[in-house]
């Protein structure tokens, strides 16, 4: 036998215990919420070894869970050699610090927000995505700096040499100032990127391009749908938050209308206000859209709850008034009876499978209908020196008829409201149309 045994270099997943509290005021049962938290933990590379639940009227101000439950959990950590405890709800800095004292230094204590931030950090690709993740991480870190230098504070209270300098408090204040400065710098950089995005968005507005945004619960298949509709190759994978950065692709509908479709970051229940705030520049693509396609995993038992969670976030960012269409994706995973039930209960919603292409033609027809909702039919006479404008007419409008006259190019078109506003100075009544050359 060889003296040297091969050793695996694969990373060893951390053992995680999930903790959920049933406060009786959530639309999601605690077991279902913990199942989702488990998927998040697995996405981040952890191995869930146990889940712990507790029924409370309100969280404990000191430890979130009761002190007895905290001690019980500490015993479980020692017996199972758990590496990390993940709470399903957001912990206050003091609750997190108190729990860390109870569990000991060998066990990490994090909450759902910290877990999502860690996943975001792994999936951010673009400069804007990395800046937004860094901003959210620093905002999360700032109130939790307390106690990181407590060993120096204890030295100060002993007296003796060096006790007069207050090094503990000084170092803590230095850290806080550094984090605040970092937050300010990140916000300035994001503001600059936001201004560039606004310029690009205005250019698309001025061009008359109809804008569609894909929103939905994480892992609903938005990226796969974008690829299927536009023939692109955006990264798509069956995991939570596989896509973090917005991606826009252009395409032409059958009638000739040019549209853009933007894939956005997925939503999730219990998405903290801080995370929504940090990703506002990305979510601006949603608020600037003409139409929102709310993509849902039709095979998920919590589909309706996920729709509610997504609409809650849309309301938070001011996009609740934008026209929207619910799209049931992954219908290939349903049987015929389930599809018929969906059709009878929600006939206004589209049923598709982005994976195998089922229903995509009908979805494109629905998008075309929505895009044509505010169309204006008008006759315009465009001078020959306005060649760029005539090119826009051919690209952005549906031309019913056109001919050449001495004064310019005469066309009867069906135009969007934005294009109609652009063409208004050249509009004429039919009886005012110039004669042919």
């Amino acid at each position: 036998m060889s003296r040297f045994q091969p050793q695996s270099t694969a990373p060893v997943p951390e053992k995680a215990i999930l903790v959920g509290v049933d406060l009786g005021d959530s639309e999601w049962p605690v077991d279902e919420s913990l199942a989702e938290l488990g998927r998040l933990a697995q996405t981040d590379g952890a191995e869930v070894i146990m889940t712990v639940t507790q029924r409370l009227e309100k969280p404990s101000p000191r430890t979130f869970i009761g002190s007895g439950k905290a001690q019980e959990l500490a015993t479980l950590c020692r017996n199972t050699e758990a590496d990390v405890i993940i709470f399903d709800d957001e912990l206050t800095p003091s609750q997190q610090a108190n729990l860390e004292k109870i569990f000991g230094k060998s066990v990490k204590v994090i909450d759902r927000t910290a877990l999502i931030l860690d996943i975001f950090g792994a999936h951010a690709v673009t400069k804007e995505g990395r800046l937004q993740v860094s901003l959210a991480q620093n905002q999360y870190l700032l109130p939790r700096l307390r106690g990181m230098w407590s060993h120096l504070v204890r030295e100060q209270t002993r007296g003796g040499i060096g006790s007069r300098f207050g090094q503990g408090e000084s170092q803590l204040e230095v850290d806080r100032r550094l984090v605040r400065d970092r937050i300010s710098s990140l916000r300035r950089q994001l503001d600059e990127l936001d201004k560039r995005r606004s310029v690009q968005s205005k250019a698309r507005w001025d061009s008359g391009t109809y804008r569609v945004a894909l929103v939905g619960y994480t892992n609903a298949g938005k990226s796969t749908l974008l690829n299927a509709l536009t023939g692109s190759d955006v990264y798509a994978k069956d995991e939570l938050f596989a896509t973090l950065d917005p991606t826009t692709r252009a395409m032409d509908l059958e009638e000739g209308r040019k549209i853009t479709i933007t894939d956005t970051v997925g939503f999730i229940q219990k998405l903290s206000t801080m995370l929504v705030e940090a990703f506002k520049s990305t979510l601006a693509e949603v608020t600037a859209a003409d139409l929102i396609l709310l993509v849902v995993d039709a095979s998920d038992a919590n589909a309706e709850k996920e729709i509610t969670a997504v609409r809650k976030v849309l309301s938070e960012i001011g996009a609740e008034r934008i026209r929207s269409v619910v799209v049931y994706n992954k219908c290939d995973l349903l049987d015929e009876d389930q599809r018929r039930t969906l059709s009878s209960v929600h006939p206004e919603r589209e049923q598709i499978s982005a994976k195998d292409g089922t229903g995509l033609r009908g979805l494109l027809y629905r998008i075309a209908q929505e895009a044509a909702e505010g169309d204006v039919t008008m006759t315009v006479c465009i001078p020959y020196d306005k060649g760029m404008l005539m090119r826009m007419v051919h690209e952005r409008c549906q031309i019913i008829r056109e001919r050449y006259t001495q004064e310019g190019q005469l066309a009867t078109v069906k135009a969007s409201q934005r294009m109609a506003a652009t063409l208004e100075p050249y509009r004429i009544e039919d009886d005012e149309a110039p004669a042919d050359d």
Side-chain angles (χ1 to χ4, degrees), residues 17 19 21 52-54 56 60 62-78 85 87 95 98-104 107 109:
I17 295 178
V19 181
V21 173
V52 176
T53 60
Q54 185 181 27
L56 291 174
S60 165
R62 188 172 181 276
T63 57
F64 194 80
I65 53 178
S67 58
K69 197 70 173 180
Q71 292 295 341
E72 178 186 329
L73 196 53
T75 302
L76 285 174
C77 289
R78 289 191 293 271
I85 309 295
F87 282 74
Q95 287 170 342
N98 290 330
L99 288 167
E100 286 171 346
K101 290 178 184 176
I102 293 172
F103 298 151
V107 180
V109 179

Side-chain angles (χ1 to χ4, degrees), residues 23-41:
L23 299 173
D25 59 353
S26 175
E27 295 181 1
W28 294 69
V30 65
D31 291 343
E32 293 180 5
S33 189
L34 282 174
E36 182 179 89
L37 185 68
R39 291 190 64 201
L40 286 168

Side-chain angles (χ1 to χ4, degrees), residues 270-342:
K270 296 183 181 179
L271 194 62
S272 73
T273 304
M274 179 197 70
L275 288 175
V276 174
E277 183 68 28
F279 282 81
K280 256 188 176 172
S281 58
T282 294
L283 296 174
E285 291 288 342
V286 178
T287 59
D290 299 294
L291 176 68
I292 291 174
L293 297 185
L294 201 166
V295 185
V296 189
D297 180 353
S299 66
D300 195 318
N302 292 315
E304 294 305 314
K305 294 176 185 175
E306 291 170 1
I307 292 174
T308 300
V310 171
R311 283 182 168 153
K312 180 182 178 183
V313 178
L314 290 177
S315 179
E316 289 178 10
I317 63 175
E320 70 276 11
R321 294 184 180 179
I322 299 174
R323 294 179 68 87
S324 64
V325 173
V326 175
V327 180
Y328 283 123
N329 189 24
K330 304 186 183 181
C331 285
D332 55 303
L333 302 179
L334 304 181
D335 59 36
E336 191 61 36
D337 288 340
Q338 289 173 316
R339 288 195 291 270
R340 275 198 297 265
T341 299
L342 279 182

